């Protein structure tokens, strides 16, 4: 972490639990705590990987950062906005982009070019060989190609912060490295802050090779 840069994400003693309710919503059937006393500071322009096993809260962490979930306890700011303030949380949603583990669930367009063939996303499509298919429909893509498009879709909006949740599923190793290198370049040259949530040791090691303080940081 470069302490000369601004702290863009600050989470202090964050806890979060999911509550299962009966069909009518009146009865609590159980609780599952996935984060407890979690602390992290991430600085602007950083590209870090956080590794964790399935079910430990990686997706929850990502959704907290982009304002889709609210912590049960703790203090948290993103770009200086307070996650607990409803109006400020709406501002967070405007500046943070996030892939989900199944990209097909959040595509909003039919054609590749409509989803991501512009801005930073356009260049990523070129890198992964998808740009030549830009006029094709998304449903014709393989699972790995949809993962590539999911990453490009988030980058196309030029967010200040991008969260990639198991984003490289189905993508071959060579393309993974190209994608990671491209995102690292955006962080260095454009000031993007990127968080890569993964259970893949190779991805974690590639991203954190220049961030020794993050090596071995697991959720």
């Amino acid at each position: 972490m470069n302490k000369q840069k601004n702290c863009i994400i600050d989470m202090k003693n964050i806890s979060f639990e999911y509550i299962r309710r009966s069909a009518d919503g009146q009865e609590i059937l159980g609780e599952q705590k996935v984060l407890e006393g979690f602390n992290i500071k991430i600085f602007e322009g950083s590209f870090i990987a956080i590794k964790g096993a399935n079910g430990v809260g990686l997706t929850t962490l990502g959704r907290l950062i982009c304002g889709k979930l609210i912590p049960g306890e703790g203090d948290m700011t993103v770009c200086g906005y307070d996650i607990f303030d409803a109006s400020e949380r709406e501002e967070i949603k405007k500046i943070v982009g996030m892939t989900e583990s199944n990209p097909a669930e959040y595509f909003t367009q039919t054609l590749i070019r409509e989803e991501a063939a512009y801005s930073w996303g356009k260049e990523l499509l070129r890198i992964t060989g998808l740009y030549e298919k830009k006029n094709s429909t998304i449903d014709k893509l393989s699972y790995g190609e949809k993962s590539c498009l999911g990453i490009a879709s988030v980058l196309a909006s030029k967010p200040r912060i991008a969260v990639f949740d198991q984003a490289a599923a189905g993508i071959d190793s060579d393309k993974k490295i190209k994608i990671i290198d491209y995102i690292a370049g955006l962080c260095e040259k454009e000031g993007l802050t990127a968080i890569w949530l993964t259970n893949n040791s190779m991805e974690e090691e590639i991203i954190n090779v220049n961030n020794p303080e993050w090596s071995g940081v697991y959720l």
Side-chain angles (χ1 to χ4, degrees):
M1 286 175 284
N2 188 342
K3 294 187 178 180
Q4 300 302 312
K5 296 181 180 180
N6 294 326
C7 178
I8 199 167
I9 299 169
D10 191 0
M11 304 175 73
K12 299 174 182 175
N13 297 315
I14 292 297
S15 296
F16 184 88
E17 63 184 18
Y18 291 98
I19 299 175
R20 291 190 300 110
R21 294 182 179 274
S22 58
D24 60 8
Q26 299 301 310
E27 182 181 358
I28 295 177
L29 302 178
E31 300 174 355
Q32 180 187 8
K33 183 162 282 189
V34 291
L35 292 175
E36 186 171 10
F38 182 75
N39 296 279
I40 196 169
K41 286 181 180 287
I42 299 175
F43 291 82
E44 190 170 15
S46 299
F47 183 22
I48 63 165
I50 300 176
K51 183 184 172 189
N54 290 333
V56 299
L58 286 174
T59 298
T60 300
L61 175 61
R63 290 177 177 172
L64 287 167
I65 290 172
C66 66
K68 292 181 179 179
L69 295 176
I70 307 170
E73 298 175 352
D75 297 299
M76 178 177 174
T77 58
V78 178
C79 296
Y81 294 113
D82 186 346
I83 194 73
F84 293 98
D85 183 295
S87 62
E88 295 194 19
R89 192 162 58 251
E90 290 305 309
E91 295 302 315
I92 292 172
K93 292 177 183 178
K94 295 175 184 177
I95 56 179
V96 183
M98 179 179 172
T99 67
E100 298 283 354
S101 54
N102 183 1
E105 292 181 356
Y106 62 86
F107 291 143
T108 60
Q109 305 297 326
T110 301
L111 301 179
I112 293 172
R113 61 178 170 80
E114 294 171 336
E115 185 69 37
Y118 47 91
S119 190
W120 294 344
K122 179 178 180 179
E123 183 58 28
L124 190 134
L125 292 184
R126 292 188 189 281
I127 289 169
T128 58
L130 275 180
Y131 191 71
E132 61 192 38
K133 298 182 180 181
K134 64 183 183 296
N135 292 317
S136 298
T137 56
I138 294 172
D139 60 356
K140 293 181 179 178
L141 298 179
S142 68
Y143 184 73
E145 288 173 329
K146 287 178 180 177
S147 293
C148 290
L149 181 60
I151 296 170
S153 178
V154 167
L155 293 176
S157 65
K158 298 185 74 171
R160 285 190 66 185
I161 300 170
V163 181
F164 302 100
D165 180 22
Q166 308 289 357
I171 302 175
D172 65 54
S173 297
D174 290 342
K175 284 185 180 177
K176 279 185 188 181
I177 293 171
K178 290 179 180 178
I179 290 168
I180 288 170
D181 285 346
Y182 178 61
I183 295 171
L186 291 177
C187 294
E188 181 178 354
K189 299 172 185 176
E190 303 289 344
L192 172 70
T193 301
I195 301 103
W196 191 274
L197 306 173
T198 184
N199 58 16
N200 184 293
S201 296
M202 184 198 79
E203 295 169 16
E204 185 261 339
E205 289 170 2
I206 292 171
I207 293 168
N208 287 342
V209 66
N210 294 317
N211 300 293
E213 64 271 38
W214 284 98
S215 298
V217 175
Y218 305 124
L219 190 62

